[in-house]
Amino acid sequence: MTTDIRSRSRKRRGRRGVVRNTPLRTHWLLLSVVILTLAAALLIQGYTQHMFGISDDSAAPGGGAAHQHSVPPAVVNGGPVIDAAAVPARTARPRPRTIALTFDDGPDPTWTPKILDVLEKHHAHATFFVVGTQVAAHPALVRRILAEGHQIGIHTFTHADLSTVPGWRRSLELREAQLALAGATGQTSSLLRPPYSSVNDALDDQDWAAIRAAGGDGYLTVLTTQDSEDWQRPGVDAIVANATPRGTAGQIVLMHDAGGDRSQTVAALDRLVPRLTARGFTFSTVSAAVGIRQAPAGPAGARDHWLGLGLIGTLDASAWVVRVLGWLLYAAGALAVLRAVAVLVAARRHTRRRGASWGPPVTAPASVIVPAYNERAGIEAAVRSLLASDHPVEVIVVDDGSTDGTADLVESLRLPHVRVIRQPNAGKPAALNTGVAAASYDLLVMVDGDTIFEPDAVRALVQPFADPRVGAVSGNAKVVNRGGLLGRWQHIEYVVGFNLDRRLFDLAECMPTVPGAVGAFRRDALVRVGGVSDATLAEDTDLTMALCRDGWRVVYEEDAVARTEAPASLGALWRQRYRWCYGTLQAMWKHRGALVQSGAAGKLGRRGLVYLLLFQVLLPLLAPVVDLFALYGLVFLDPVRIASLWLAFLALQAAMGFYAFRLDGERPGALWSLPLQQFVYRQLMYLVVIQSVVTALAGSRLRWQRMERYGTLAVPAAVRNGPRESAGPEPAPGPGRRPVTGPAYPSGPAPRMGPGSVPEPGYASGPAPVTGSAPGYGPPPPGRALADAWLDEVHAAAGRTDVPYLRAGQTPGLGETPGDPAPYDGGGGR
């Protein structure tokens, strides 16, 4: 048999050399840049596409004559082309029998080409007042307009009402529109049509202030004399009638080539031009119609041209980003709904199986291994809760070089059936392996030092071993310190997230994690996979995946309840979840070969690993898109619709929460904090996943992070004054006791296994069920030959002779120093 258990070292050498022990900090800078870029893209799109946008010309209120105190009478009664920079202001009218067709709001990829085709068909020219954002989106259309002899004017950048926006916005609207035109065509234009403008006598004081400001910047304002009212879509006949002059006076006719369905405009134009031509009217651009000698268009400077190109590129990039975010939004929504449906259906089916018998009752004693590093605050409560079990147990506390007197405290309690093993600090995997080697029984329960067991937890935990295919059992971990918002949020996460997922994994036979807080293992299964590996920071996930790949079944026993101490500060929570997530990514990568294997390994790969990738990696990475779009929608879109969608998502989460709490027999009172959890806690978990993924991609390696202990574990009342009274006398070795000599397998030698190996056919079924009578239990047998031999075999297979494990019962000698501690947070309770 080949095993791969190595002592924990502070540096690990990989194919690229020494792997860093600390994560890169540059990824935070990268993440900040990405977030700022996305925010900028959303703001640009929101401003250019949704802040104002194109609406009907009737949308802007007009003050009319009652508010014309500052508008010069010469302008009110003058022509539609206004030079407001002159003193006094000057106006101009089209020549008689001259029609200047003008088209607003474009260019539009659908209707502008059709209108250009009609004009070309009838050899007519027109003036197009373009919106800057439309120019940036369709620069080729603007170039076609100029190439076919038409004239260009600007219609602001976002179709904003210049009479109502502040001065800086007015300047920005005109400047950005010019830059867009310069970038698309290399030309500028001095013609301006303010959005929502109409005829001269409709100008009010605010309109005149905007026209004067534009005149100061060198613009000629072009109003209209005849409105086709095509923006109302009254029908082709009505548009033709509205655009037809009543006499022979020249006219500037208002029409639209964008802003909605302009099919009526196209049809009306095709009828209007030949009809007016037959009446002796000619069609020309605005400047030609009023006799402007100096052309209003001219070449843009090199600086403006390049700035315009940059503006167009920025708008294109922001539009692309928003499109991608839209796709990701749909993906995140689909994944969230898919997960909700999957876990709820699985939970329902799993509930129907609750209480089913695994086989004959398992009564064989169990060895409970408690790895401990500086667990003085809660170790007494943990140990006493184990002794209160209604199933026979021995408790092995492996002190991993604690500096707070953890081992001394346990020894001072002088509790029967409790042993303390001291070893230099080597990390949690090493402590667990030491406990496995020292255990007296074939059923092993692993529990963190910050966890207390319900009296029936061990008994419920070992019952599935009546099935010989079962190699490990996951218990039901719950949060004991639920006070405060952070405690409630973690309580919700354990019940709604972890436990619902475990029910699904159990049904799909692809359990990826037996939590370190409450799990049981068959000794032979552990030995076959080489014990607990320290190759990842999630040793519980790594071990569970190894068992699945070795052909063992891993199940969930929801009645085996243990209560674990959760982090009580955001910093401690961050460190714990960062290690969990990073370690899970390591384990997924390590066991990626399961994707192409068959049998139990294939179920883990194609079900468990795919589920983890989709719902615990990709979904958290995509989920911020939902929040970004929620903020985007509240500011730039319909806030009522966006709020309704968010409430629907929250209702789905609440429904899952109530159902999960009902299944676990928990009071639903904590769910009142669920909306707040979505705003704070969920964001923290997103950042944890993002940092873990970036750290993994960067090839960094994390140190174990010690979690703070708060002393919130309570000693069970039934055993506060001593161990349980039902322990009984010490028995002679009998059924269920581990022999001290002989092979470590039920029969025959163990097959040789290597990383990624699949067990030989017929061997995955495991040993016979662990049943039989065990009325009592006693201290471990005096011999340690088998335990020491197993350790020696493990170390020899790993090629190490300097492993700091101690033999059972040994303590460091004088002069020995355990070295720098390798702290850990207990592995954790997932």
Side-chain angles (χ1 to χ4, degrees):
M1 177 183 73
T2 301
T3 57
D4 187 19
I5 301 177
R6 296 179 174 88
S7 65
R8 182 174 178 80
S9 59
R10 283 170 292 176
K11 287 187 179 179
R12 184 180 301 279
R13 183 171 297 275
R15 287 179 296 178
R16 298 183 182 180
V18 176
V19 180
R20 289 178 292 274
N21 276 332
T22 56
L24 294 176
R25 299 303 176 189
T26 54
H27 67 272
W28 281 114
L29 176 61
L30 176 62
L31 179 60
S32 300
V33 170
V34 170
I35 291 175
L36 290 176
T37 302
L38 291 178
L42 290 174
L43 287 174
I44 290 172
Q45 279 297 106
Y47 173 78
T48 58
Q49 302 299 324
H50 303 294
M51 181 64 80
F52 292 96
I54 297 171
S55 57
D56 293 342
D57 286 349
S58 62
H67 300 280
Q68 290 182 340
H69 306 298
S70 62
V71 184
V75 172
V76 174
N77 301 309
V81 180
I82 304 171
D83 180 7
V87 181
R90 299 179 297 177
T91 66
R93 298 178 183 275
R95 293 189 300 269
R97 292 188 179 277
T98 303
I99 301 295
L101 292 172
T102 61
F103 296 90
D104 288 5
D105 300 344
D108 182 272
T110 300
W111 304 114
T112 302
K114 295 180 184 296
I115 288 174
L116 290 173
D117 291 341
V118 172
L119 294 173
E120 183 180 17
K121 172 183 175 182
H122 298 291
H123 308 288
H125 291 95
T127 301
F128 291 80
F129 289 95
V130 294
V131 177
T133 55
Q134 293 293 100
V135 172
H138 313 290
L141 278 178
V142 186
R143 290 192 290 268
R144 178 184 170 184
I145 291 172
L146 291 175
E148 294 184 2
H150 304 289
Q151 197 168 62
I152 292 289
I154 66 170
H155 200 43
T156 72
F157 187 63
T158 65
H159 203 267
D161 186 355
L162 297 180
S163 66
T164 61
V165 298
W168 66 269
R169 273 292 315 281
R170 186 184 303 143
S171 299
L172 180 66
E173 286 285 330
L174 300 180
R175 173 60 176 164
E176 296 304 298
Q178 284 286 10
L179 286 179
L181 184 60
T185 66
Q187 300 286 316
T188 61
S189 175
S190 61
L191 298 181
L192 165 67
R193 170 165 288 164
Y196 311 108
S197 63
S198 57
V199 297
N200 290 53
D201 61 5
L203 294 175
D204 62 16
D205 293 341
Q206 288 181 315
D207 296 329
W208 179 242
I211 290 174
R212 287 187 60 190
D217 292 333
Y219 288 98
L220 294 176
T221 298
V222 180
L223 303 180
T224 63
T225 60
Q226 197 148 352
D227 186 356
S228 69
E229 299 185 5
D230 62 341
W231 47 272
Q232 297 191 64
R233 301 180 184 85
V236 175
D237 293 339
I239 294 174
V240 172
N242 293 334
T244 301
R246 302 296 182 265
T248 60
Q251 304 291 335
I252 294 181
V253 179
L254 171 63
M255 304 184 86
H256 297 82
D257 64 330
D261 183 356
R262 299 305 178 199
S263 57
Q264 292 182 7
T265 302
V266 175
L269 183 66
D270 195 25
R271 190 185 302 177
L272 177 69
V273 174
R275 177 179 295 182
L276 293 181
T277 301
R279 287 179 50 186
F281 283 87
T282 60
F283 294 88
S284 76
T285 63
V286 167
S287 61
V290 300
I292 298 177
R293 296 179 181 178
Q294 185 176 358
R303 178 174 178 272
D304 284 351
H305 177 61
W306 286 107
L307 286 175
L309 289 176
L311 174 64
I312 293 173
T314 300
L315 293 176
D316 287 343
S318 66
W320 179 84
V321 168
V322 171
R323 283 195 298 270
V324 171
L325 289 179
W327 298 335
L328 295 179
L329 174 65
Y330 286 117
L335 286 176
V337 173
L338 178 62
R339 178 185 178 273
V341 171
V343 297
L344 289 177
V345 171
R348 179 65 177 169
R349 293 183 58 188
H350 192 272
T351 301
R352 294 173 182 172
R353 293 181 9 180
R354 189 172 185 178
S357 175
W358 292 96
V362 176
T363 58
S367 296
V368 183
I369 303 168
V370 186
Y373 176 80
N374 288 352
E375 300 283 0
R376 184 183 181 92
I379 192 66
E380 180 179 357
V383 171
R384 289 189 181 275
S385 74
L386 294 169
L387 292 178
S389 298
D390 60 9
H391 188 88
V393 298
E394 69 164 347
V395 179
I396 303 172
V397 177
V398 182
D399 184 83
D400 191 41
S402 297
T403 59
D404 67 345
T406 297
D408 296 334
L409 173 61
V410 177
E411 288 177 340
S412 70
L413 298 176
R414 300 185 180 279
L415 298 173
H417 322 301
V418 176
R419 282 186 287 150
V420 177
I421 300 177
R422 301 173 185 256
Q423 68 175 33
N425 180 258
K428 184 180 180 182
L432 288 171
N433 285 325
T434 298
V436 171
S440 304
Y441 306 113
D442 290 322
L443 298 183
L444 307 176
V445 175
M446 295 182 183
V447 54
D448 292 334
D450 61 344
T451 304
I452 56 176
F453 269 40
E454 294 290 325
D456 60 348
V458 174
R459 177 171 52 80
L461 200 59
V462 300
Q463 295 311 306
F465 289 119
D467 185 343
R469 298 172 301 171
V470 174
V473 182
S474 168
N476 185 349
K478 295 179 180 292
V479 175
V480 68
N481 51 329
R482 304 175 186 181
L485 279 177
L486 193 59
R488 289 189 183 95
W489 290 340
Q490 292 178 84
H491 173 46
I492 293 173
E493 183 184 30
Y494 272 62
V495 175
V496 180
F498 300 155
N499 287 349
L500 283 182
D501 280 347
R502 286 195 186 101
R503 291 181 173 93
L504 175 64
F505 292 139
D506 192 2
L507 283 178
E509 299 183 10
C510 59
M511 186 78 65
T513 304
V514 171
V518 51
F521 301 85
R522 197 186 295 270
R523 178 194 292 272
D524 296 301
L526 283 180
V527 174
R528 274 178 46 173
V529 299
V532 184
S533 171
D534 69 344
T536 72
L537 292 184
E539 82 296 327
D540 46 7
T541 300
D542 186 9
L543 175 61
T544 308
M545 290 183 178
L547 292 172
C548 289
R549 295 188 68 186
D550 194 38
W552 294 97
R553 186 178 174 191
V554 181
V555 300
Y556 172 53
E557 179 49 67
E558 58 190 290
D559 292 329
V561 177
R563 305 188 184 277
T564 189
E565 196 173 51
S569 67
L570 287 176
L573 177 65
W574 175 277
R575 291 190 294 271
Q576 183 196 65
R577 299 310 171 87
Y578 188 12
R579 185 185 64 78
W580 282 8
C581 186
Y582 183 82
T584 299
L585 292 175
Q586 288 179 306
M588 291 171 63
W589 180 253
K590 177 181 177 180
H591 296 285
R592 64 191 183 278
L595 288 167
V596 296
Q597 291 181 284
S598 59
K603 292 178 181 179
L604 170 71
R606 291 182 289 278
R607 298 177 186 176
L609 295 186
V610 170
Y611 184 93
L612 292 178
L613 179 64
L614 289 177
F615 300 114
Q616 295 193 17
V617 179
L618 290 182
L619 182 57
L621 291 177
L622 295 179
V625 175
V626 177
D627 300 322
L628 281 175
F629 260 84
L631 295 175
Y632 178 76
L634 289 174
V635 176
F636 297 111
L637 302 178
D638 182 359
V640 175
R641 178 172 172 267
I642 297 301
S644 299
L645 290 174
W646 188 84
L647 289 174
F649 174 76
L650 183 61
L652 177 63
Q653 297 292 319
M656 292 178 59
F658 277 103
Y659 187 59
F661 270 59
R662 179 184 174 188
L663 292 179
D664 267 30
E666 295 286 342
R667 295 181 178 179
L671 291 175
W672 70 265
S673 63
L674 187 61
L676 294 175
Q677 187 192 43
Q678 304 301 307
F679 284 109
V680 180
Y681 189 82
R682 198 159 54 97
Q683 317 306 322
L684 182 66
M685 295 302 103
Y686 295 161
L687 293 176
V688 167
V689 175
I690 291 171
Q691 182 173 359
S692 300
V693 170
V694 173
T695 304
L697 293 177
S700 301
R701 180 173 175 82
L702 302 182
R703 292 190 181 100
W704 276 82
Q705 302 291 332
R706 165 153 175 81
M707 196 183 84
E708 301 173 29
R709 301 304 185 205
Y710 312 102
T712 58
L713 301 182
V715 179
V719 293
R720 190 171 288 127
N721 299 321
R724 69 178 183 275
E725 299 176 357
S726 59
E730 304 293 351
R737 292 293 298 271
R738 173 165 170 70
V740 296
T741 58
Y745 288 84
S747 61
R752 296 189 63 82
M753 301 289 293
S757 299
V758 180
E760 296 179 7
Y763 196 84
S765 61
V770 183
T771 60
S773 173
Y777 58 96
R784 286 294 170 200
L786 183 59
D788 290 348
W790 186 69
L791 277 175
D792 291 338
E793 179 186 4
V794 162
H795 300 161
R800 299 188 64 88
T801 58
D802 59 344
V803 180
Y805 301 142
L806 299 180
R807 297 295 182 257
Q810 287 184 323
T811 56
L814 294 177
E816 296 180 5
T817 58
D820 293 335
Y824 53 96
D825 67 1
R830 284 171 291 178

